[in-house]
Amino acid sequence: MRITLMIVGAGLTLAACNQASEQRTADALDSASNTAERAGDRIENVADNALNSLKPAPNAQEFVNLAAKSDAFEIAAAKLAATNAASPEVKAFAQQMIKAHSDSTAKIKAAAGKSRPTVTPDPALTADQKEELDELRQKKGAAFDEEYVDGQVDAHEDALALMRSYASGGTHAALKAVAGEIAPVVEGHLKMARDLEAKTDK
């Protein structure tokens, strides 16, 4: 009887170990899959920006519209982080983004007002930006942190490519100057977002 119980106990222990091992394997595969997906998205984003860098710089109206939409998206996403994020570092970063992108909006508006004819930025979000915000609203805590930070890396890569493009090839002097002024700020934000991404993806 005692031997039978020992055999049964050993079997249960082995089964539990197998289940734990299978769960660890599944978790590892999920993590690897998510990492690969993010890496794929990142490569695609970099490739898109590389192709865009070969195109002529946008005209003044296109530039201010793209910059305004980018700022509006950044501010809206950062405001969600105030309530949905778990990490104090993510919340602190989001607060910086609200201030920085509000400043960027003001600088571009001022420069746009100096153009002849005057150009007026259109900050209305695109369908893709609205969809991203809707997805963010559904997430809380660590899941929000990861989604938000990953999106911030992509958004700042796009914004940096836009600023550099207009700073080097724009035709409107005031906007060209402000793009050159904003570009290194965006580059700093991109580095911060990448550092946060390395932490939240663990």
Side-chain angles (χ1 to χ4, degrees):
M1 182 68 174
R2 187 176 297 109
I3 293 173
T4 303
L5 288 175
M6 289 174 63
I7 293 172
V8 170
L12 290 173
T13 301
L14 182 59
C17 288
N18 286 339
Q19 286 178 345
S21 177
E22 288 173 3
Q23 185 60 49
R24 285 194 297 272
T25 301
D27 290 344
L29 288 172
D30 285 345
S31 178
S33 175
N34 290 337
T35 299
E37 184 178 347
R38 285 192 295 274
D41 290 343
R42 189 68 18 79
I43 291 168
E44 184 178 353
N45 204 45
V46 170
D48 287 345
N49 286 333
L51 288 173
N52 288 334
S53 70
L54 300 175
K55 298 177 183 177
N59 63 40
Q61 185 64 63
E62 290 169 340
F63 170 71
V64 298
N65 285 350
L66 288 169
K69 293 174 193 303
S70 175
D71 283 339
F73 173 78
E74 292 289 345
I75 292 168
K79 286 180 177 177
L80 285 176
T83 54
N84 291 19
S87 165
E89 287 181 279
V90 170
K91 289 187 176 186
F93 173 81
Q95 284 302 309
Q96 285 184 262
M97 293 307 98
I98 292 173
K99 182 182 185 309
H101 288 281
S102 295
D103 290 346
S104 171
T105 295
K107 287 177 181 178
I108 289 173
K109 278 184 179 178
K114 297 176 182 176
S115 67
R116 294 294 178 270
T118 300
V119 291
T120 303
D122 177 9
L125 297 178
T126 66
D128 285 345
Q129 288 173 325
K130 289 177 182 177
E131 184 178 343
E132 286 184 49
L133 287 176
D134 286 341
E135 289 177 2
L136 271 179
R137 286 190 188 95
Q138 307 306 313
K139 297 186 180 294
K140 303 284 184 183
F144 176 92
D145 292 348
E146 186 173 339
E147 184 84 7
Y148 172 69
V149 172
D150 287 347
Q152 287 300 293
V153 172
D154 291 342
H156 282 91
E157 285 176 347
D158 292 342
L160 182 57
L162 173 65
M163 293 301 161
R164 283 177 171 171
S165 173
Y166 202 84
S168 64
T171 56
H172 185 281
L175 287 171
K176 189 172 181 178
V178 84
E181 180 183 343
I182 292 172
V185 177
V186 175
E187 189 172 11
H189 295 164
L190 176 57
K191 183 182 183 307
M192 291 167 64
R194 284 174 174 163
D195 289 345
L196 277 176
E197 184 180 47
K199 294 178 182 179
T200 58
D201 284 355
K202 288 181 179 179

